[in-house]
Amino acid sequence: MQATENRDDDWSTLLRLVGSQRDRAAFEQLFRHFAPLIKGFHHSRNTQALSAEAADELVQEVMFRVWRKAPSFDAAKASASTWVYTIMRNCRIDMLRRGNRHRDIDRDIQVDDIWDESPDSQPLLFLQQARDERDIAEGLRNLPAEQCHVVKKAYMEGKSHSEISVELGLPLGTVKSRVRLALKKLQASLNR
């Protein structure tokens, strides 16, 4: 594992530029990278609490907070991706809470019910992230090559189904079908 004090990956560097210099070009690169991933995460969750239209709202809120909180980013504590995904998780919880206020429920979701953010939980956070990454990598290896390829293009490269269709010369329906089948297989393998 890389020493966190020496973290100099591209995303951490860009985030430091946004935090220290309010660099708009660096923020634009962060936005182009993370926005499709945030949307993909939103769409991968089968929850009725957030409508499909809420994906754009989630992206906007997350990236607004990234811009606002960038000066507090500390590469010694977490990678840029972990930091952004933590903000995303918190924004998503806020959106769920706002949605629940409009329903008659006995109790709001509490952050502590979902995620323990105490300093003592940080090693658990890193362990869980490492396990998740390992499980997802294993799930991807077990997919048929054509399904793995389109999932990587959609979720790792942030391409739309239409863009993948054009790039690979496949019908749009085929791309959508492969992504859907791959996600079902990944979900099944992760739920074991």
Side-chain angles (χ1 to χ4, degrees), residues 77-78 82 86 89-90 111-112 114-130:
K77 292 184 179 177
T82 300
T86 300
R89 183 198 69 232
N90 292 339
V111 172
D112 293 339
I114 299 171
W115 196 275
D116 181 8
E117 290 189 351
S118 64
D120 296 338
S121 72
Q122 291 301 314
L124 293 176
L125 185 143
F126 295 127
L127 176 64
Q128 184 60 45
Q129 182 180 353

Side-chain angles (χ1 to χ4, degrees), residues 150-189:
V150 295
V151 165
K152 285 181 178 179
K153 292 227 169 268
Y155 293 99
M156 294 177 185
E157 295 177 24
K159 295 186 176 177
S160 71
H161 291 162
S162 299
E163 291 171 328
I164 298 168
S165 172
V166 170
E167 184 177 327
L168 299 179
L170 295 171
L172 181 59
T174 301
V175 171
K176 288 181 177 184
S177 176
R178 287 180 183 178
V179 169
R180 188 181 70 252
L181 289 170
L183 291 178
K184 282 184 180 180
K185 288 177 184 177
L186 278 173
Q187 185 176 11
S189 73

